[in-house]
Each structure stands twice: as C-alpha cells, then as structure tokens.
Amino acid sequence: DQQVKQNSPSLSVQEGRISILNCDYTNSMFDYFLWYKKYPAEGPTFLISISSIKDKNEDGRFTVFLNKSAKHLSLHIVPSQPGDSAVYFCAASHPSNYQLIWGAGTKLIIKP
Amino acid sequence: ETGVTQSPTHLIKTRGQQVTLRCSSQSGHNTVSWYQQALGQGPQFIFQYYREEENGRGNFPPRFSGLQFPNYSSELNVNALELDDSALYLCASPDGSTGELFFGEGSRLTVL
C-alpha cells in the first residue's frame, strides 16, 4: 500500500521553462513533507520541505505547494536548468514515528 | 560533502550468504537510519538507531539487523541473502542543529 505516490516516472522540460513535479499521499496524519534530489551514484540530497501548517514554501528557484484537502503537493522549479536533471523524490513523515515514507521518484530531464 | 560515508560502494554476493554494510558519520550525528532502495522505487525505511539502540523499524524481517557504535558509526547486517535483497542501501544521519537528513552515497548490493 503506497502512502506516497509520484505517478509520473519521468518528465522532460525545456531549459528555462517551469518544471512541475507532483506527489499525492493518502495518510492525512502526515505532518511534514520533503523533496529530495538524487543524481546517479549519489545519495539523495535534501531540496526543500513544507510543514502541514503551511501551503507554500519558497527557496530560490524552488517552490513547494501543499494542498491538504486534495492530499497533494507539487514542486515547481523555475527557470529549469540543465543541472536540475535528476530523480526527484517526495517524502512524508508522520508525527508518531521516525521514518520517512517515500514516493517512487520522478526522473526530470531538462532539454537544452 | 554530506559527512556520511558508506562502504563498500558495490558488492556482489550469492544467495544464502551474509553481508555487512558500513556507515560512518561526522561527530554529533547520534542518530542513523538505514534505507533500502530497489530499482525504480523510493527508499524504504529499514530501521533507525539512536545512541546505540534500535528505536524504530520498518517492515523488514529479522534477518536484517544493525549495530551502532559509540563513535556513531553503524552497520547493517543481512543474513541468508535472497535475490530480492539486491538494492541500493542508504545510510542517513540528521544534522544536529537543523534536523536535515544527510545521506551517504549508498552501497549497491547484487545478490546472484
């Protein structure tokens, strides 16, 4: 039972345009959401997070939006750059335990 | 540089064998968690250690065990290896002040 879902295995975007990566979750008790970026042969690196008490968090080119009623979050990257090409994972945490629940990832390809 | 290093980076074992994976983190990271990432999936939480004791476990059988040492280095041991244990194993530690989770580059295990 996947509690965190990233339904797009891959996404291709033109350099300079906006990249939008989506993530859906099923557990309404999740209180914290994170996006990680992973390059081949490297571990995931933290990108941006959002608490369930907010609906938007922005950090430079990266913005995460949270829609609690729809149990949906999205990561916007604008403008997209070639170095953004990577696999992006959405993860969620529950206040009562220690583990992160991860989506399967979306491979983002930025075309020059 | 995440301050978390893992060894070995790659290894090949045969079914039924045992494997030990290692993780070291810079001082101050007294919590370490281990994840298994199968091909095409997000990381799955195996367990977490805090001050040398396991304090959280995901849905993995007892043949997955771990240790954390006083210097905060950690081991993941897997007994009676199965083909489905082939995966990237990630170790992670949180930054003591920000809580941001830092991952090692992972150990890629292939079971033949």
Side-chain angles (χ1 to χ4, degrees):
Chain A
D1 176 30
Q2 265 192 302
Q3 296 188 63
V4 177
K5 295 181 185 179
Q6 294 176 257
N7 291 319
S8 298
S10 66
L11 175 68
S12 187
V13 174
Q14 202 72 34
E15 181 180 356
R17 300 289 186 103
I18 184 171
S19 296
I20 300 177
L21 297 107
N22 293 304
C23 178
D24 296 295
Y25 61 96
T26 57
N27 190 335
S28 58
M29 295 300 292
F30 288 145
D31 66 341
Y32 202 68
F33 302 90
L34 308 96
W35 284 94
Y36 281 78
K37 177 178 175 179
K38 186 179 185 302
Y39 293 115
E42 294 184 14
T45 55
F46 171 76
L47 197 56
I48 192 170
S49 63
I50 188 167
S51 162
S52 61
I53 63 172
K54 294 187 172 183
D55 54 18
K56 177 183 175 182
N57 189 26
E58 198 170 348
D59 183 4
R61 297 186 296 115
F62 303 92
T63 303
V64 56
F65 296 92
L66 175 62
N67 182 334
K68 288 186 290 293
S69 60
K71 295 193 183 70
H72 176 83
L73 65 155
S74 60
L75 173 68
H76 292 211
I77 306 172
V78 56
S80 300
Q81 299 175 354
D84 297 330
S85 294
V87 178
Y88 289 78
F89 290 97
C90 164
S93 72
H94 189 285
S96 68
N97 62 32
Y98 314 97
Q99 56 182 293
L100 289 178
I101 310 297
W102 297 73
T106 297
K107 183 175 183 178
L108 176 65
I109 301 164
I110 305 301
K111 299 179 292 185
Chain B
E1 177 59 48
T2 64
V4 180
T5 57
Q6 292 186 243
S7 63
T9 55
H10 295 81
L11 70 166
I12 299 173
K13 292 282 189 177
T14 56
R15 232 174 0 170
Q17 285 189 311
Q18 179 266 344
V19 69
T20 297
L21 308 177
R22 294 180 175 83
C23 173
S24 64
S25 60
Q26 60 193 48
S27 61
H29 291 187
N30 55 14
T31 302
V32 64
S33 51
W34 285 89
Y35 290 82
Q36 180 197 64
Q37 186 183 2
L39 198 62
Q41 297 182 23
Q44 301 289 315
F45 177 74
I46 303 175
F47 43 57
Q48 176 171 289
Y49 277 79
Y50 174 68
R51 291 187 176 177
E52 302 173 53
E53 293 203 2
E54 184 180 301
N55 72 341
R57 191 176 184 94
N59 189 26
F60 279 80
R63 59 190 185 82
F64 286 77
S65 62
L67 283 172
Q68 187 184 27
F69 301 99
N71 65 356
Y72 303 135
S73 64
S74 175
E75 286 182 358
L76 164 65
N77 298 289
V78 187
N79 294 321
L81 283 167
E82 301 176 0
L83 297 179
D84 285 349
D85 295 334
S86 295
L88 180 69
Y89 288 86
L90 295 161
C91 161
S93 271
D95 179 273
S97 53
T98 66
E100 179 181 333
L101 202 59
F102 289 100
F103 283 85
E105 294 182 357
S107 294
R108 183 163 296 284
L109 171 66
T110 301
V111 182
L112 302 175

